[in-house]
Amino acid sequence: MDLGNSPSSSTTSSTTTTPNPAITAAATTTSDDPMHSWWESISKARSRIHSLSSILEHSSSSSLSLSSLADSDRPALSLLSSLDAYLSVSSALSSPLSGSGSDPLCHWLYDTFLSSDPHLRLVVCSFVPLLSGLYLSRIHSLPSDSPSLPSLAGFEAVLLALYAAETKARAGKPVVVSVPDLSQPSLYHTPRQRPNSSPGGGPSRNSVGVLAPPLEPQIAVKSTKRAAIVGVALDCYYKQISQMPAWSKLDFCRFAAAWAGQDCPCQEEFDGEPEITGFSEIRDLENGNRIDDVTEEITQLRIENGNDGGSSSNGDLGSKGSRIPLPWELFQPALRILGHCLLAPLNSQDVKDEAAFAVRRLYARASHDLVPQGILATRSLIQLDKRARADAKLAVAAANSSTSNANTPSKAKKPEILLVSK
């Protein structure tokens, strides 16, 4: 039935509603009032924290700590910077039965990320390394002849929410970078020009490199798009990595090392001089023999899948994940995150050491898989890490030398006697 020419439709379309000026002014005042916006953000964050506390109510200590976080002046940022809250959520996410479509914690992460509060979104982003590591390790840890895959619809819903947000942010455009003309002596010999024009009308000397192609909307996580979707989620994490807590970065470094899965001498190819690189103290990271300086409580964080052992060579999910396929869509964002963890000056030494170990593992993996761009990128990061460690060691030696010189007593000088004639 065509409703376009019906009398009712024409009458409805010709009817206009005059807005109430008082209501419009009140709504405008409310939206422009910074105090109202601040209180609304606080109330929303407290509501989300109380909701999370009810999900984790099986642990009385975690519920008590979460309740205290809700009473702070900045509850969302307090939740982000709370190690106890992170460990409680991580323990629940690491449960063997987590990740299903009915998982209340996945529902909480999904709903929280869809909120308009940027600080609440940061809380969800801090769990991206753990969620991605659990998801990929569980998917690829099952044997190929397994009759059915586990239900991980909850994990996939959160990853798709991150993917959709990044798709909207890119607006159908690729991520590009301007590459200068390498035939010139330096960057300063090429004037800044538009990408497609030059003073003579010819093409510009600068070329444009595509870092990432345009994103296509996805409504489900297909096996052919899985690595790309997780890679985009890691890109969202990388954009906010300067605000991420240290334990979240440590989680990613450990998963990245487990994803590489290569334990061979070639990963130590560039560390022939441990007394210079300072890398000898983290050779035993895989066996879990090292205690993090961030906090001793981070050692409580383990991925549980029926055992407490380390990474298994048979594909079982151990305490640090398992070896997985690493296409470039996943390899590239992983290297970006590791580059920050390795070289950012404000990172703790634990984060830098874990990142150094993961980068060397990925170099071994890229060497075995013959991935040229992966080999080049990981070798560059390893060389930068070695240089940074050597410079740090020289700086410490210089500081110690100056301190010892300052503490060395000097010989007292005899007082000068001036002879004055009368």
Side-chain angles (χ1 to χ4, degrees):
M1 179 181 298
D2 185 9
L3 299 177
N5 299 322
S6 63
S8 60
S9 63
S10 60
T11 303
T12 304
S13 61
S14 62
T15 302
T16 58
T17 302
T18 303
N20 190 330
I23 297 178
T24 304
T28 304
T29 303
T30 301
S31 60
D32 295 340
D33 186 6
M35 182 61 67
H36 176 79
S37 300
W38 172 82
W39 179 250
E40 184 180 4
S41 176
I42 294 294
S43 300
K44 184 182 298 183
R46 289 178 177 177
S47 175
R48 298 309 302 166
I49 292 177
H50 286 306
S51 176
L52 178 62
S53 178
S54 64
I55 295 175
L56 303 175
E57 61 184 1
H58 61 276
S59 175
S60 59
S61 60
S62 64
S63 298
L64 180 60
S65 62
L66 291 180
S67 299
S68 63
L69 294 176
D71 296 333
S72 64
D73 295 336
R74 308 174 72 181
L77 293 180
S78 298
L79 180 62
L80 176 67
S81 58
S82 173
L83 176 60
D84 292 334
Y86 186 87
L87 292 176
S88 299
V89 176
S90 299
S91 178
L93 283 177
S94 303
S95 170
L97 301 179
S98 65
S100 63
S102 59
D103 188 351
L105 190 52
C106 291
H107 280 272
W108 185 90
L109 291 171
Y110 180 85
D111 295 336
T112 303
F113 184 77
L114 293 183
S115 66
S116 58
D117 193 312
H119 295 157
L120 288 175
R121 286 193 165 201
L122 288 178
V123 174
V124 178
C125 286
S126 67
F127 293 101
V128 167
L130 179 65
L131 191 145
S132 302
L134 288 169
Y135 174 70
L136 292 177
S137 298
R138 290 184 184 180
I139 283 291
H140 295 291
S141 62
L142 291 178
S144 57
D145 56 351
S146 178
S148 62
L149 294 176
S151 175
L152 299 176
F155 287 164
E156 293 177 346
V158 181
L159 293 172
L160 283 173
L162 292 161
Y163 181 88
E166 185 65 14
T167 302
K168 182 179 179 180
R170 296 186 187 182
K173 299 179 181 179
V175 179
V176 298
V177 59
S178 179
V179 182
D181 185 9
L182 300 181
S183 64
Q184 299 296 320
S186 72
L187 298 176
Y188 304 100
H189 286 74
T190 304
R192 292 186 177 181
Q193 303 163 355
R194 294 183 178 181
N196 298 323
S197 64
S198 62
S204 171
R205 293 182 180 273
N206 293 344
S207 60
V208 176
V210 178
L211 291 180
L215 297 179
E216 300 177 356
Q218 302 291 334
I219 60 175
V221 181
K222 301 179 182 179
S223 58
T224 55
K225 297 292 184 179
R226 181 179 296 123
I229 292 175
V230 177
V232 170
L234 294 178
D235 276 332
C236 293
Y237 178 82
Y238 175 72
K239 288 183 177 180
Q240 309 293 340
I241 195 169
S242 61
Q243 304 181 67
M244 293 294 104
W247 40 85
S248 177
K249 300 175 185 179
L250 286 171
D251 258 351
F252 180 81
C253 294
R254 290 166 178 169
F255 272 113
W259 290 346
Q262 294 289 348
D263 185 16
C264 63
C266 63
Q267 72 186 36
E268 302 177 2
E269 177 180 339
F270 299 96
D271 299 311
E273 298 177 343
E275 66 278 1
I276 295 179
T277 64
F279 189 68
S280 59
E281 69 275 8
I282 59 174
R283 296 281 178 83
D284 58 347
L285 279 176
E286 186 181 12
N287 298 325
N289 295 328
R290 186 172 170 276
I291 299 177
D292 300 318
D293 293 334
V294 176
T295 175
E296 293 184 0
E297 295 183 59
I298 197 64
T299 59
Q300 301 173 11
L301 179 59
R302 292 292 181 267
I303 299 170
E304 303 170 1
N305 193 35
N307 59 68
D308 296 330
S311 302
S312 173
S313 59
N314 298 327
D316 297 332
L317 179 60
S319 62
K320 297 181 182 178
S322 60
R323 187 182 189 275
I324 64 171
L326 286 177
W328 188 241
E329 296 88 349
L330 189 59
F331 205 109
Q332 186 182 42
L335 287 180
R336 291 176 185 169
I337 298 174
L338 290 176
H340 167 89
C341 295
L342 193 65
L343 303 174
L346 297 182
N347 285 332
S348 65
Q349 192 60 40
D350 293 317
V351 174
K352 294 180 180 180
D353 290 346
E354 294 276 7
F357 182 76
V359 166
R360 284 159 173 79
R361 275 295 192 91
L362 289 175
Y363 167 74
R365 174 67 179 270
S367 299
H368 284 269
D369 292 351
L370 299 179
V371 182
Q373 61 268 42
I375 295 174
L376 179 61
T378 50
R379 286 189 62 171
S380 299
L381 287 177
I382 292 172
Q383 295 294 348
L384 290 173
D385 174 55
K386 288 184 61 178
R387 189 176 304 171
R389 291 177 183 273
D391 293 343
K393 190 168 184 177
L394 290 176
V396 171
N400 293 336
S401 176
S402 61
T403 303
S404 61
N405 292 337
N407 295 333
T408 302
S410 58
K411 187 177 180 180
K413 296 183 178 180
K414 295 182 179 180
E416 298 182 356
I417 302 175
L418 300 179
L419 301 177
V420 181
S421 60
K422 294 183 180 180

